[in-house]
Each structure stands twice: as C-alpha cells, then as structure tokens.
Amino acid sequence: MTLFDKSNGNSNGETNGTDLSQIVAQRGQPLGMVIEGSVSNGVEVRLDPGVSVEQIKVGTFVTLQGSDNRFFGVVTDIGLGSTDPRMKYTPLPSDDPFVIQALQGTVAFGTVSVLPQLTLPDVVGDEQGPAAAKSIPAHFSRAYTASQEDVETVFGSEEGGNFWIGSPLDMETKLCLDLGELVKRSMGIFGKSGTGKTFLTRLLLTGIVQSGQASSLIFDMHSEYGWQGQDTDKGVTVKGLKQLFGAKVSTFTLDEEHSRRRGLSTDETVKLGFNHIEPEDVDLLRESLNLSEVAASAAYNLREKFGEDSWLKEFLDAGKNGSLLELAEELQVNAGALRALYNRMGRFTRHGFMVEHSRVDTAAQMIEHLERGQHVVLEFGRYGDDEAAYILVSNLLTRRIHRKYVEAKESAMGGAGKEPRPLVIVIEEAHKFLNTAVASQTIFGIIARELRKYNVTLMVIDQRPSGIDSEVLSQVGTRFSCLLDNERDIDAVLSGTSGSRALRSVLSRLESKQQALVFGHALPLPVVVRIREYGTAFYETIQGGGDSDEEKKRKVDELFG
Amino acid sequence: MSTTSGNGSGQLMERRVGEVVESTSTSFVAQCYQLEGAPALGGLVRTDSPDIYGVVGTVTTEPLDSARPVLARGEDADSEEDVIRDNPQLARLLTSRFEVYIAGHIEDGITRQYLPPRPPRVHSFVYACNPEEIAGFTSQLDLLRLLLNSGASHADEIVGACIRQAASSHDQPNYFLAQACRTLSVELAADVARLNAILRRISP
Ligand SMILES: Nc1ncnc2c1ncn2[C@@H]1O[C@H](COP(=O)(O)OP(=O)(O)O)[C@@H](O)[C@H]1O
Ligand SMILES: [Mg+2]
C-alpha cells in the first residue's frame, strides 16, 4: 500500500525540503516524539504514523533530541496505545486495509519506552564526551534510532584504539570496547553451554594480545585457545592465539602426549613435583576428591611433621611401607581419615604431570614469559576433564604467580623496580573454585576481592554463575552474558546492577548463540551485542599487524620443519 | 468581480448555479436557477466578494407554494421524460434549493478555514468551484472540523461526500485521501466508532 507511505506520513514535517538520507546519517531514522515520562521510569515515545512497532526491538539504541540536550537511551519496552479507550470494544473492519491503515499510527499507535541514559555532546566530535543523564527530554522531543556516529560517540570507535567485538542489535555499526578499562577489573563470561562463551573469550583474548594492554595467563581446560579450537557446529578447527600471534604467545602443556598426538608443538611441558603441593591445595580438592574435613586437615599435620618440601612424598612413602597406622597415632589424627587421604592423594599423584620431585619452577617460568610481555596458555590435554587436576594446577600456579606480583607491586610502590604488567588470568568452570564453600580460600577468591591492587584481574568463564560466591561475583566488573535460562543464574549475573528488571527481559530473549548482553565497568551502558564472527575474515584483520616477516618464517618452519 | 474568476466572466457565468436566499453565520441557502440544478452533496461552492466557500449539505426540490403539493402524474405515461414534457407548467411550480455549510473564506488573498465575520449577503451569486479551486481550497483540511461540527444530522455523510469529491480534483488523490484520514483521525481521536464510519465512506 502506497497510500500511507512513510515519507508522506511524517507528520512532523521536519524533513520537508531537506535531504532525508543526510539526516538519517547524522541522527538515524525518525521514530516519534516524547509524550510523557519521568527520570525514574524513562520516557514514553509515541511512534510516528508509518513507523511500525514491529521494526523496533527491546534493546535498540535511540537518541532523543531535546531542546537543549541530546539524549542517548535504550528501548526497554514496546507497547500499543489508543486515543480512544473504547477502541478495544469497537468492532472495526480488520479486513479493510484502508481503514486499518488510516487508524494505524493515529488513533491506534505504537509506543516505545526509552530509558535515557546519557547526554551526548551537541556537536559530534566535540571534546567533551557523553555524560550520565540526570534529566529527561521535554515533551514533544523527537526520537530517532541511534546512528553509527552516535554509537561511536558512546562506546568509542575502532580508530580511537578500541576493540571491535560485534554490532549492537539490528545495526551494522561496529561496537567497540575499551580494553584498557576492561582489564582493570575482573570480567565474567557467562552463558549456557554452546552459546559462544569460548568463541567470545577467544575474541577478547586476541584483542588483549593485539592491544598489548595486559598479559594473559589462560588455564585452557579443553585445549581450545592455544594452537587451535574446535567449531563444533561447522565441524572445522579455528585458529588459536599461537597461530595468530606466534612468538607473542607461549604454550605450556600438562599433557605432552596429547599435544604430540595432535601433531602440535608446545613451548613447554609442565611437570609438577610433589614438593609443589601444599595442604591448602588439598583443602580445595576436598569436594572433587570427596575428602572429609578431617582427612583434608591431616595434610597440615603432615606438613608440620615432614616439612614444606617433602610432606607429600614422605606421607605416600609411609603409606607404601604400610606404616599409616603408626603415623596416624603419632599425628593424633583419625586413622581412617588418614587412609582416605592416602588413597586419594596416591591416585591423584599418579597423573602423568606429577613427578616425585621437580626442581623446575613452572610458575617462575611462566612469570618470565609474562614479564616479557608474552601471553601464556596452559593446555590441560586429557586432564581437562579431571576436575581435581584443573583446580589443583590452576590454583597452585596462580598462587605462586600472584605472590610474585604482590612482591613486584610492593617493591614498585616502595620505589624499587617497575610496576608489573597488568595480568589477566582466565579460568573456566569458575563455580568449582569460586563457590561459597571455597571462595575464601582459593587464590582466585583473593584476587577477585582485592580488585586490581596488584595489577592482576580474572576472566572467569562459567555456565553456572549462580554457583559462584556472590561476593566474588560482585567484584566482576564487566559481564558478558550469553543466553541463560536458569532463573538463579540470571539473578546471579544481574546481581548488583541497576535497572536489572529491564535487563532481565533482555537477557532471557537473547539468541541462542553468538549474542551477549554486555554491561558493567567497561561500558557506559548495557548493550546487546551480536558477537563478531571469529573466522577467516577475522584472522585477516590480525595477520597484517600481527606477524613480522621473521615470525612468519618461524611459523612456517614450525609447521614444516 | 473577484480575481479568482481567472478564466473570464463567460466561464464563470456557466458555473453560476444559484443565488443566496437565506443566510446565517454558519450556513446559507441558495435557490437554483435551474430546477434540479443544485451541485452534488459535498460539492464545494463559493460566493463572490466576499469570497466565502462552503460545502453543499442539503438539496431540496419542492413546490414554490407549500399550499399546493405536487401530485403524481405519470400513471399513464410511458417514461419519466413524457411526464415532464406533458406538464410544462411544473417547472414553474417547483423550485430547487440547497443548503451550504460555510467552510472558510478568503481574506486579503489568504485562505482561512474558519467562519467569516459575516455570512454572504442575500442575493449573492453562488458558483460551483472548478477543480483548481477545489484542489487549492482543500490543500488545507481544517474545513473538515467545521463540517464535523456543523450540527447537521448527517454531518458524517457531508464529510464523506466532500472528501470523495475533492479527491478527484487533486493530482495525487491517494495522497489527498491519506491527509484527509489523518486529519479525521486527529479530530475524532476520541471517537473511533464515528471515525470508522466516515473512513468506510471514503475508502476507495
Ligand atoms: N563469535 C563466533 N564466531 C563464529 N562462531 C561462533 C561464535 N560464537 C559461537 N559460535 C558457534 O557456536 C558454537 C558454540 O560456541 P562455543 O564458544 O563453543 O560455546 P560455549 O563455549 O558457550 O559452549 C561454536 O562451535 C560456533 O560454531
Ligand atoms: Mg566452551
């Protein structure tokens, strides 16, 4: 029907005589005008005739041109209104397109609720940036969909050194993140299994490596970040950080055989000595090893008796020699508990990455790489499925690395030495070691709580955020949430954020893949992002800047030589 | 004579359909020069100096002398034309009148779609508007409000007829219709049932 053509229906008459496309470029498409509102509830926009409610989605960005200010906001609700309350009881010829179209947009109209969140500088490119909105636009202010320029003004542009992570809902505009801000606080990546957490994490990590804003240490449970990862949907492999960045990334493995079988070389193989395990580690493993509290605490007695370096070895030897009973008596611990500890630790230490004594300090090796500005990926290979191994190794190494960071930071503050580079530590299945029962003991709980005091922050990836200790979660500054359907998980992810009611409905309506609600510290306002495709086109944006000729040659040698 | 006649008095003469015989602030009645010579319901007419525009609302044909009612005469006639031919005196015993609702006026060359300060004088000539005049005058649509509130019991019919007729004088009838719908929707925002009734009358 051309009768109620959009350009004709534009009752504001503002576009008369001006080039429409020019206005759209600057301000986006006209939507309607403000008819009521409040600061606490946002404003109600009545849609122009010709603008269909179906064109607009919850989460769409909108600008509102007030008389003195331009506001930037987000659509939180969409409704249908009428000027005549009796309309709903009036029989109308729904099959007569003429009548229906005449009523639409006039007597029967669409409304959108917009929460104005920022005021924009009047002139695009003005020095002063967006500021939090403390007022609302006046009656009859015009509303427009946000333009590319608006989005860039608010979220930053790629040219401005920010990292392009995807596009806002229904826009082709690049949505960028300030990685410098991002790594200042811990961040979380949440979502059900298969929603794209791993892909998003990989994307963010490439951004971090590329920008050089921080070093990263990745406890790569399923070996998907180092050399390559799997795209299970398409049945292909995707490039990992090592392939993209070569020497900037060092890969460590717990499972040399696994790497070799896949035909991949790794830079270092990690062997942990019994001497590296501390009673605190045993405490953490209580749940995964199914140990009683008494059994776990026996480890402290053993350390007291045999000393820091050799308690585990001496204990296991005693067990082998059949002298557990005497030992129990001597330490005054329950013999059954001690036997349980012996059995579990005995089994655990038979893992291939454990050796009786190791003089190699893996943590120190890693720190060396990190200090050189490199990024470290520790692949777990077949041990990735072993919860206890993942928890033990990641804790054990992180504890040591953190200790070094604390020392470095403290001496830097005392004027000796330079500040350690910011470090982002990536852990998966975070609820297993950040649950309320153990969060206070694990090093990760400590890191999360001390903020960035020592320049170390966490990137936690989890499909069950409700399992994470709420205090720890509250320290997760920037959150990326893909689709979640468990109510408790949604509550957990949104805890402590303002306007969580509106976000809730957004969160539960995300697409099942490659879409995330991003909010928190690093962003001026929450945004739904269609995550950038991680694939060939993406690699090309890196290759140019990423590899020196020398590195390329080295890579070729690595592949064929 | 007003400049709006444009095409010379000859053509204007042809469009002269009657003469004002009664006049009030909101409407006037004109008597036709020809029996059954009234413009159609909803048609736009105007008077001259002052230029007052109006929309035909009620057309009446009746005996001049109300004491002598018209009687049926065609029982034996073959056709209706025969009845007229065989009773030539009838034309002098009957008269056609039409009532016009004032829709606006022209003041200092500017079209005003609200009531003029004074209605047309009795004996003012009444002209049917030509398509250019119709398109020009109905490029504004505030007249619809006057018609809707005219108090005529069949105001909705007058509005519907007026819009249908005016549409054909516009280069883009559909655009005109859309504008008219929009104006009606504003005027009748609180009465969807009435709006619907009129919309159905103008639906193409
Ligand atoms: N940014 C992306 N680019 C390309 N494919 C993606 C992206 N995000 C998700 N996918 C697709 O979705 C699948 C599941 O993503 P994945 O990150 O493995 O989910 P999760 O880690 O949440 O279980 C991938 O195998 C891939 O096919
Ligand atoms: Mg995954």
Side-chain angles (χ1 to χ4, degrees):
Chain A
M1 280 271 156
T2 52
L3 203 50
F4 295 92
D5 176 23
K6 235 185 255 172
S7 55
N8 291 347
N10 206 343
S11 62
N12 63 329
E14 180 179 7
T15 52
N16 284 354
T18 340
D19 180 5
L20 190 70
S21 64
Q22 198 182 332
I23 288 181
V24 170
Q26 280 164 8
R27 297 205 221 161
Q29 187 203 331
L31 289 180
M33 68 178 180
V34 172
I35 49 170
E36 65 174 10
S38 69
V39 170
S40 51
N41 295 324
V43 298
E44 188 99 342
V45 170
R46 178 181 163 154
L47 296 181
D48 286 341
V51 180
S52 157
V53 276
E54 294 171 29
Q55 293 169 6
I56 298 161
K57 297 205 174 108
V58 167
T60 304
F61 288 132
V62 166
T63 60
L64 301 161
Q65 181 63 57
S67 43
D68 298 325
N69 289 299
R70 216 152 68 83
F71 294 82
F72 188 90
V74 58
V75 173
T76 55
D77 201 1
I78 300 168
L80 297 172
S82 167
T83 51
D84 182 359
R86 292 169 303 176
M87 188 184 80
K88 51 185 165 184
Y89 310 113
T90 309
L92 291 170
S94 58
D95 53 349
D96 183 342
F98 180 81
V99 172
I100 293 307
Q101 287 195 46
L103 297 181
Q104 241 158 24
T106 53
V107 176
F109 49 83
T111 60
V112 295
S113 308
V114 177
L115 195 62
Q117 282 171 312
L118 303 170
T119 48
L120 296 176
D122 263 344
V123 190
V124 178
D126 202 342
E127 291 278 290
Q128 129 211 36
K134 295 194 175 65
S135 177
I136 52 172
H139 264 119
F140 315 126
S141 296
R142 299 285 309 157
Y144 304 85
T145 56
S147 68
Q148 168 134 2
E149 279 170 57
D150 294 328
V151 172
E152 281 183 3
T153 313
V154 169
F155 292 97
S157 63
E158 212 178 9
E159 292 78 49
N162 300 295
F163 182 62
W164 168 27
I165 61 161
S167 320
L169 208 66
D170 288 334
M171 293 181 85
E172 290 309 313
T173 309
K174 291 178 180 178
L175 190 113
C176 299
L177 269 185
D178 181 343
L179 292 176
E181 276 308 308
L182 186 69
V183 301
K184 274 189 191 159
R185 297 266 187 93
S186 290
M187 61 201 112
I189 291 152
F190 307 114
K192 295 201 300 182
S193 172
T195 50
K197 295 185 297 299
T198 301
F199 272 67
L200 173 55
T201 306
R202 211 185 278 118
L203 184 70
L204 289 172
L205 288 170
T206 55
I208 291 172
V209 175
Q210 207 174 5
S211 76
Q213 305 260 24
S215 292
S216 55
L217 166 59
I218 300 145
F219 291 108
D220 186 1
M221 184 181 265
H222 303 298
S223 310
E224 34 192 14
Y225 300 107
W227 182 257
Q228 66 186 29
Q230 297 297 324
D231 185 327
T232 45
D233 289 15
K234 302 195 187 76
V236 295
T237 57
V238 294
K239 290 192 181 187
L241 298 176
K242 182 74 183 174
Q243 278 194 72
L244 292 176
F245 295 104
K248 277 191 194 162
V249 176
S250 315
T251 47
F252 284 61
T253 185
L254 273 189
D255 185 358
E256 204 175 5
E257 204 183 302
H258 172 88
S259 309
R260 211 180 307 123
R261 212 171 40 236
R262 298 205 297 170
L264 310 174
S265 72
T266 38
D267 299 336
E268 312 272 354
T269 302
V270 174
K271 294 280 182 223
L272 296 175
F274 295 180
N275 50 320
H276 291 146
I277 298 186
E278 299 173 26
E280 286 81 0
D281 297 320
V282 178
D283 243 352
L284 276 178
L285 295 179
R286 255 183 53 207
E287 206 176 303
S288 24
L289 293 184
N290 192 16
L291 279 170
S292 71
E293 206 174 326
V294 180
S297 68
Y300 293 94
N301 303 52
L302 289 163
R303 175 168 67 184
E304 203 160 301
K305 174 165 166 57
F306 298 117
E308 182 119 345
D309 248 19
S310 50
W311 71 270
L312 185 55
K313 182 174 178 335
E314 298 280 347
F315 172 50
L316 294 174
D317 284 347
K320 260 180 241 151
N321 303 334
S323 47
L324 275 188
L325 267 180
E326 294 100 274
L327 192 57
E329 223 159 274
E330 192 187 334
L331 297 173
Q332 293 191 320
V333 296
N334 178 301
L338 200 64
R339 170 146 298 277
L341 180 64
Y342 170 76
N343 287 339
R344 309 285 152 70
M345 292 312 290
R347 208 176 318 137
F348 186 81
T349 49
R350 279 199 288 278
H351 279 322
F353 58 86
M354 299 283 330
V355 291
E356 270 193 12
H357 191 88
S358 166
R359 242 184 284 278
V360 184
D361 185 347
T362 306
Q365 270 182 326
M366 288 182 171
I367 288 173
E368 231 174 81
H369 284 93
L370 295 174
E371 275 176 348
R372 270 188 257 135
Q374 291 177 333
H375 303 261
V376 173
V377 182
L378 174 57
E379 298 188 333
F380 280 70
R382 81 186 107 121
Y383 304 114
D385 296 326
D386 185 329
E387 197 177 295
Y390 188 74
I391 294 179
L392 179 103
V393 172
S394 55
N395 267 281
L396 190 150
L397 292 172
T398 303
R399 195 163 48 233
R400 286 152 195 262
I401 290 167
H402 180 251
R403 216 175 279 150
K404 293 266 167 59
Y405 261 75
V406 171
E407 281 166 22
K409 177 79 184 190
E410 272 164 2
S411 67
M413 283 192 301
K418 63 178 185 18
E419 285 258 333
R421 260 170 80 80
L423 172 64
V424 178
I425 301 181
V426 182
I427 47 171
E428 301 201 51
E429 304 276 349
H431 66 271
K432 299 229 166 89
F433 30 105
L434 288 171
N435 58 39
T436 313
V438 297
S440 56
Q441 303 154 42
T442 68
I443 182 62
F444 296 110
I446 294 169
I447 293 175
R449 267 188 298 268
E450 70 193 9
L451 288 173
R452 54 185 188 118
K453 205 158 127 202
Y454 300 111
N455 295 14
V456 183
T457 54
L458 296 181
M459 184 190 280
V460 297
I461 304 160
D462 206 339
Q463 51 178 307
R464 216 165 67 71
S466 61
I468 299 177
D469 179 51
S470 60
E471 201 195 324
V472 171
L473 207 53
S474 70
Q475 305 295 349
V476 173
T478 309
R479 302 179 200 175
F480 300 77
S481 183
C482 301
L483 181 70
L484 282 170
D485 48 17
N486 179 301
E487 293 292 313
R488 289 180 48 228
D489 287 331
I490 295 177
D491 285 339
V493 166
L494 295 177
S495 62
T497 43
S498 62
S500 64
R501 202 159 49 94
L503 292 181
R504 218 190 149 79
S505 76
V506 173
L507 191 51
S508 54
R509 280 187 189 80
L510 290 177
E511 307 236 319
S512 65
K513 238 181 221 48
Q514 218 175 327
Q515 218 182 56
L517 173 67
V518 189
F519 58 100
H521 174 74
L523 293 101
L525 75 167
V527 52
V528 175
V529 185
R530 194 171 70 248
I531 303 298
R532 191 170 166 187
E533 184 77 17
Y534 186 94
T536 326
F538 175 70
Y539 307 150
E540 265 151 31
T541 65
I542 291 170
Q543 234 83 17
D547 283 358
S548 64
D549 285 347
E550 188 184 317
E551 243 165 64
K552 280 197 187 117
K553 180 175 175 303
R554 198 193 56 79
K555 269 191 180 174
V556 172
D557 291 349
E558 202 172 72
L559 271 172
F560 301 107
Chain B
M1 280 262 162
S2 146
T3 50
T4 50
S5 56
N7 291 325
S9 55
Q11 285 200 343
L12 194 61
M13 274 295 285
E14 285 166 25
R15 293 197 275 121
R16 212 160 90 187
V17 288
E19 198 173 308
V20 175
V21 293
E22 267 177 52
S23 175
T24 70
S25 287
T26 54
S27 66
F28 57 85
V29 176
Q31 182 172 8
C32 296
Y33 293 126
Q34 303 288 321
L35 187 60
E36 316 278 11
L41 179 74
L44 193 67
V45 296
R46 66 173 178 81
T47 62
D48 227 348
S49 49
D51 289 11
I52 295 177
Y53 283 75
V55 174
V56 176
T58 312
V59 178
T60 319
T61 298
E62 57 188 2
L64 272 169
D65 183 352
S66 58
R68 294 180 60 190
V70 180
L71 301 173
R73 292 173 195 269
E75 195 173 6
D76 302 321
D78 286 342
S79 70
E80 291 174 11
E81 283 77 41
D82 290 348
V83 179
I84 308 285
R85 203 189 48 224
D86 297 343
N87 298 284
Q89 79 286 4
L90 283 184
R92 272 174 281 115
L93 298 177
L94 295 174
T95 178
S96 293
R97 299 173 203 266
F98 54 95
E99 184 173 15
V100 174
Y101 292 96
I102 297 177
H105 62 289
I106 292 190
E107 189 183 76
D108 303 333
I110 298 167
T111 303
R112 312 272 187 199
Q113 295 195 343
Y114 51 80
L115 295 179
R118 262 165 236 94
R121 288 185 307 265
V122 169
H123 294 301
S124 297
F125 296 152
V126 179
Y127 303 89
C129 292
N130 66 15
E132 293 91 76
E133 284 170 328
I134 297 174
F137 188 73
T138 56
S139 63
Q140 291 176 44
L141 287 165
D142 291 331
L143 80 153
L144 296 181
R145 182 177 171 80
L146 281 171
L147 296 179
L148 287 167
N149 298 326
S150 65
S153 59
H154 60 311
D156 295 0
E157 293 293 346
I158 301 172
V159 170
C162 172
I163 293 172
R164 278 197 310 269
Q165 287 199 31
S168 59
S169 301
H170 282 263
D171 291 343
Q172 294 173 284
N174 281 350
Y175 177 69
F176 170 77
L177 278 182
Q179 293 298 108
C181 288
R182 219 141 265 145
T183 307
L184 289 173
S185 306
V186 172
E187 292 302 330
L188 297 175
D191 191 350
V192 174
R194 187 173 178 201
L195 174 60
N196 175 38
I198 300 178
L199 289 176
R200 301 195 70 167
R201 283 168 170 74
I202 61 174
S203 175

